[in-house]
Amino acid sequence: MRINAKRGFILCAFFSLLIIIGLPTSTKAANYTAYNETQLKQYLELPSSDTVTLGSTIILNSRITIKANKVLDLNNQILLAKTGAFASSGGFNLTNTQNFTDFTIKNGSIQGGPTNGLGADSSNAGVIFAEDKAYNLKVTAENIRHDGDGFFKGHSTDLIFKGKMYLQNTKFNARALNITMFGNPFNENDPGNVDFYGYVDFEGTTDPWAIGQGGVNLSFDGYDHNNATAIGKTTKNLEVPKNAKVKLVNKQKKYNLEYSNNVGNFAQINVDGEFIAEAEGTPLRTTAARYNNQVGTPSDQSEVNVKPGSIFKISSFDVNSTYGTIYTYSVDINVNNPKIFDIRAFGNGRFFHGWPERNKNNFRIYNSDVGVWAKKEKGIGNPLYLWQNVKLIEILKFDNGDSQASLLKKTTTNPAEIAPKFYINDFSRISNDVALPQIVPDKKVVGNNETSISGRTEYVLPDGTVVDKVAAGAKMTMIVGGKDYTTTADQNGKWSFNNLPLSTVSGGSTATITLVDADKRYGNPAYVVLEDKTPPKAEPKLIKAKLNDMNNLNDPKLSLVDYSDETTAKSLLKVEYVTTLEERQKMLKEVGKYDVKIKVTDAAGNFTIVDAPVIVHNPTEVITNGFASAKDFEIDYDKWVSATDAQKRSIMLSEEYGNLKGYEIQGNTVTDVSNILAKMTIDFSGRTWEPKKTYPIQVKVMSYTKTVNVTLIPAAVKMNVKQIYSGTDKPIYQDLSANQPVDNGKEYEVKIGDSLEEVVNNLIATGKIKLNYAGYNQVSVKDFVVKVNNNVVATTKVPDQAFQLIYQYQGQMKFDKAPDLNFGKIEVSKDDQISKLATTSQDQVSIINTFLDYGWTLKASLPKGITNKQSGEEFLGELLYIDSAGVRHSINKSGAELISQKSTDKSLSTIDIRGNQTSGMRLEQHIGNTRNDYSGELVWTLEDGPK
């Protein structure tokens, strides 16, 4: 054999890895970590530009003077600043600011600091304080929380807030030259975008300069101090860019409410992001434009500019406040298409208080929806007027001295019809939030078989447009069936009235649903119609019917105690049997407990079906508080006698035997007590059980007594199936190759009187027995012999005692397999030669012999010899079988004995006639044969003889 093998090749790819390591560029700035006050003071007072990081919580008992650019990273630690007068408090002083421009504090919490309020412009205050002339200094606070009296004072310094700022102060949050709330207009996810919360609440006096002890959130210098003209730069500006969020809260309500501001003395407030200011007094106040050419704006007025898409909400809550939401000299207020604007003035004075000096005051609303609330409503509830798509509302050159008529003359609107109604000092609130809540039930029609009514809320504009808002927390009220129900809308504006007894409400009724939202607004009621889906009520009644007596089962109403419906009158309810007449007639033929089904239908087609109990009893019986039904039965004596009393009870209860049932009767209620021993007793006492006898068993349920007759009979016997040699008791073989006998020892329990053929067929079908095996004559199922006590009994039925079922077989002697021989192609030889069987020739003889007394002898013959297929000439040579002893057996026309059965051979013998090198079938060829095919008829013969 030639084997071709392919040579394998391995292709390797080599990669080079280049690693470039860059060295940091040099810088003069240093990084320090401080673990105590000494280190903190040392590092911060260095004259170099450094970053100082807190390594732990530090107690700061003194003021640290900073004279160079610094970054103070609190590293999420707490800085505990000593509380007290400024000089003896803990904090930071920014001095010598001509030598540095930046100070940043970030990432942590500060507690304590000086207790000073905002005094004169040059007075010291704040946990961070910058000197008077720090005009070139920029202070940045990022991700800081401060709990103390005041956070920052540096009235000549620009202040920037970034990240999460939380200033929980008593007296002030910050006083600066300009304040910017950082917002990246191009990236709403910039972590530097400020989320600023400022809180003050100290009850102390203050004044128009925004100085004193009273609480003020953010402030700038008053009047002409640090005016833009004097210092040549922008001053007193509060910037709230897009993506910045600011909320200011001032809870000071005891003194000078007009000066208890969220923002004091501003020149400009520019809102592109979110700005919310809440004060007990006036949220916004300014004196910056009191004098000519000092405010630094093109209009020479202070300005509040609310830009498109922004959120602007300012509120004055104290009802005793008399100076409105803005208390000012010469201000220009512009609200241009914001996302939300909401101005509230709950006090008893003017909406805006503008002094008459100089250019007076202007108020404009552009391109917005507008709603206004009457003063007495305090901004709560539905607006007094709602206007949608307002192009312009403009009040020019107004002041606090304007009368209603004067103010209306200065008011211009588009649409024009708004102007006569827009007397601003009659309002407590102006807002573009003009949407009203609306109730949207999940279903407009609800079946009165349901137990809940649910839905959602939304808001709609006057023109019906739905806005993206839900009435979270709205109080929901529903009136249905003369009852009131309340619930609250969840945070998603969804509501649900649950566990409602709607089945008591008539179909066709209407549920009226109203809501009041968190702002006391309300919309139109919603209505849900109740559809009659509740079926009638019906209470079943016990019927006691005498055997074969239909009187009590003709009228279905007799089977009901009462019936009613919440909508349909009783006289219009349809009552009918579901149980057919045939079924009712059938139940009356046998004593027992039954149920009849009664159907009650209302006018809407709703129906109830109830089961009314029926007890069919013997006419002579009086049924009171108990009843039992059962059948007399037969049972195998052995099974009954061997059972305990508990088992006998189970037998009587089983459907196969007594089918005993006991019932307790209480009014119209029938309860099955069959398994409650105390309520249904069965008396098995005082009996000597004997087969083929009937015993009356007494059953008692409450006061009712029933007798059940039990007959004891032998019901089943043992059957032994045997398959044997005819005339012997020897089992036949199921495996002839191993002489393995069938198992004749198995017994089967069979029922007396059953057909034996059916019993055997069932055992065959279930695989429990098998008839007919190879090597024996075939028997049919009915070819059995029955023996009882070793005596033959002529029967086709199961006898009443244990027996044998015998099948008898005759043995056989026969070939299981006889081979054809093939010696293949043999060359004609000039000498005698002997050939073996071809490899493709059959070479096994299989013999079955199941005779008990006879063995076999195998013979083979060639009656017609071996001849040339073409010429008919006789083959010159002979067919030989050489046995294992080397003896040659010539197979000729008269035949030859080849081999005989040994005593050790099994009933199935297999003989290998191919043999080995010295034995087996051979063909001996003599000289003289012609070339051609030769064949012969080989006859295999078995002869029997005694073993």
Side-chain angles (χ1 to χ4, degrees), residues 629-846:
S629 63
K631 62 182 180 181
D632 298 336
F633 63 92
E634 296 178 344
I635 188 171
D636 177 64
Y637 168 78
D638 291 334
K639 182 173 183 177
W640 181 263
V641 171
S642 62
T644 64
D645 284 357
Q647 291 170 333
K648 288 184 176 70
R649 182 185 182 96
S650 297
I651 291 170
M652 294 189 68
L653 291 175
S654 69
E655 292 185 13
E656 181 183 356
Y657 294 103
N659 197 23
L660 172 62
K661 295 184 183 298
Y663 303 94
E664 181 183 24
I665 301 172
Q666 293 178 319
N668 293 299
T669 302
V670 179
T671 304
D672 189 334
V673 295
S674 306
N675 292 310
I676 303 176
L677 274 63
K679 294 195 173 184
M680 186 177 80
T681 60
I682 306 175
D683 186 7
F684 300 111
S685 63
R687 307 300 175 97
T688 300
W689 308 108
E690 298 181 21
K692 299 182 180 180
K693 285 190 177 183
T694 300
Y695 295 87
I697 306 297
Q698 190 177 77
V699 178
K700 189 171 184 180
V701 182
M702 312 308 287
S703 62
Y704 179 87
T705 301
K706 173 76 176 179
T707 299
V708 182
N709 294 310
V710 179
T711 301
L712 306 182
I713 60 170
V717 295
K718 301 289 186 181
M719 177 183 75
N720 171 222
V721 179
K722 301 181 71 173
Q723 300 185 71
I724 59 176
Y725 280 92
S726 179
T728 75
D729 199 39
K730 181 177 178 62
I732 65 172
Y733 296 124
Q734 60 179 324
D735 182 355
L736 299 180
S737 64
N739 280 4
Q740 180 185 358
V742 296
D743 184 358
N744 283 340
K746 290 183 178 178
E747 291 185 330
Y748 307 93
E749 188 174 273
V750 292
K751 191 174 180 181
I752 296 172
D754 280 357
S755 165
L756 286 170
E757 284 190 46
E758 291 180 3
V759 168
V760 174
N761 280 325
N762 182 57
L763 291 173
I764 292 172
T766 56
K768 294 180 179 177
I769 66 169
K770 174 185 175 183
L771 297 181
N772 295 316
Y773 293 87
Y776 300 95
N777 64 293
Q778 298 291 296
V779 298
S780 66
V781 171
K782 63 183 178 181
D783 293 338
F784 52 75
V785 173
V786 178
K787 283 188 177 183
V788 177
N789 295 326
N790 213 28
N791 295 315
V792 175
V793 176
T795 181
T796 61
K797 304 288 185 180
V798 175
D800 61 359
Q801 53 188 308
F803 67 99
Q804 292 179 326
L805 192 71
I806 301 170
Y807 287 93
Q808 301 184 76
Y809 292 85
Q810 301 291 334
Q812 294 179 336
M813 182 183 293
K814 61 182 181 179
F815 284 107
D816 182 52
K817 186 193 304 180
D820 292 331
L821 303 184
N822 182 3
F823 286 88
K825 185 177 181 180
I826 302 173
E827 297 292 334
V828 175
S829 175
K830 61 183 179 179
D831 298 313
D832 292 349
Q833 70 175 24
I834 294 177
S835 300
K836 296 180 180 180
L837 288 173
T839 58
T840 58
S841 176
Q842 298 174 353
D843 56 11
Q844 289 188 337
V845 178
S846 294

Side-chain angles (χ1 to χ4, degrees), residues 350-361:
R350 298 178 180 275
F351 197 84
F352 295 140
H353 190 103
W355 290 104
E357 283 78 4
R358 299 188 60 251
N359 294 331
K360 297 194 177 182
N361 309 282

Side-chain angles (χ1 to χ4, degrees), residues 140-153:
T140 301
E142 181 175 1
N143 297 320
I144 293 293
R145 174 175 180 135
H146 179 225
D147 294 86
D149 286 302
F151 177 66
F152 177 84
K153 183 181 179 184

Side-chain angles (χ1 to χ4, degrees), residues 548 550 553 580-589:
N548 298 315
M550 281 290 294
L553 289 177
T580 65
L581 176 61
E582 181 181 1
E583 290 170 333
R584 284 177 277 138
Q585 289 173 336
K586 181 179 178 180
M587 66 178 63
L588 286 169
K589 293 179 180 178

Side-chain angles (χ1 to χ4, degrees), residues 61-275:
N61 291 311
S62 62
R63 308 290 302 186
I64 296 177
T65 299
I66 298 172
K67 300 177 182 179
N69 293 340
K70 298 291 181 183
V71 175
L72 176 56
D73 188 346
L74 301 185
N75 192 28
N76 298 314
Q77 302 291 338
I78 300 174
L79 187 64
L80 300 172
K82 181 181 178 183
T83 301
F86 183 84
S88 60
S89 68
F92 306 97
N93 295 337
L94 309 179
T95 63
N96 196 25
T97 54
Q98 65 270 23
N99 295 322
F100 73 99
T101 58
D102 291 280
F103 174 70
T104 297
I105 184 168
K106 62 182 181 180
N107 303 331
S109 178
I110 305 172
Q111 296 179 10
T115 57
N116 304 61
L118 288 170
D121 297 334
S122 60
S123 64
N124 299 341
V127 72
I128 302 172
F129 171 74
E131 65 181 359
D132 287 354
K133 295 184 178 181
Y135 292 115
N136 296 320
L137 178 61
K138 179 181 70 178
V139 173
T140 301
E142 181 175 1
N143 297 320
I144 293 293
R145 174 175 180 135
H146 179 225
D147 294 86
D149 286 302
F151 177 66
F152 177 84
K153 183 181 179 184
H155 68 104
S156 301
T157 299
D158 288 334
L159 177 60
I160 298 173
F161 289 114
K162 300 178 72 174
K164 186 73 174 179
M165 291 296 305
Y166 193 95
L167 302 183
Q168 183 82 13
N169 303 126
T170 57
K171 297 177 180 178
F172 67 96
N173 301 139
R175 176 72 160 260
L177 184 68
N178 296 292
I179 298 175
T180 299
M181 304 291 182
F182 179 82
N184 184 342
F186 306 107
N187 181 8
E188 64 180 352
N189 296 315
D190 187 337
N193 291 336
V194 78
D195 186 356
F196 182 96
Y197 176 77
Y199 177 90
V200 294
D201 61 6
F202 190 78
E203 293 184 347
T205 59
T206 184
D207 58 26
W209 286 269
I211 59 177
Q213 295 297 311
V216 177
N217 294 103
L218 307 178
S219 64
F220 309 93
D221 287 347
Y223 291 101
D224 55 355
H225 290 209
N226 269 343
N227 67 73
T229 303
I231 66 172
K233 64 180 292 185
T234 299
T235 63
K236 307 179 185 179
N237 285 2
L238 174 60
E239 299 290 339
V240 184
K242 186 177 180 180
N243 296 322
K245 296 181 180 180
V246 179
K247 183 172 183 179
L248 306 174
V249 177
N250 189 337
K251 288 293 185 180
Q252 198 287 117
K253 60 187 298 182
K254 187 173 182 181
Y255 302 105
N256 308 105
L257 293 180
E258 66 270 36
Y259 303 129
S260 296
N261 314 128
N262 299 118
V263 182
N265 291 329
F266 60 89
Q268 274 192 335
I269 300 177
N270 293 312
V271 180
D272 274 299
E274 179 177 318
F275 179 80

Side-chain angles (χ1 to χ4, degrees), residues 361-382:
N361 309 282
N362 304 315
F363 175 53
R364 302 178 186 88
I365 301 174
Y366 301 96
N367 306 312
S368 182
D369 299 334
V370 178
V372 296
W373 282 254
K375 187 175 286 291
K376 65 178 181 178
E377 301 299 337
K378 306 302 181 188
I380 302 301
N382 286 13

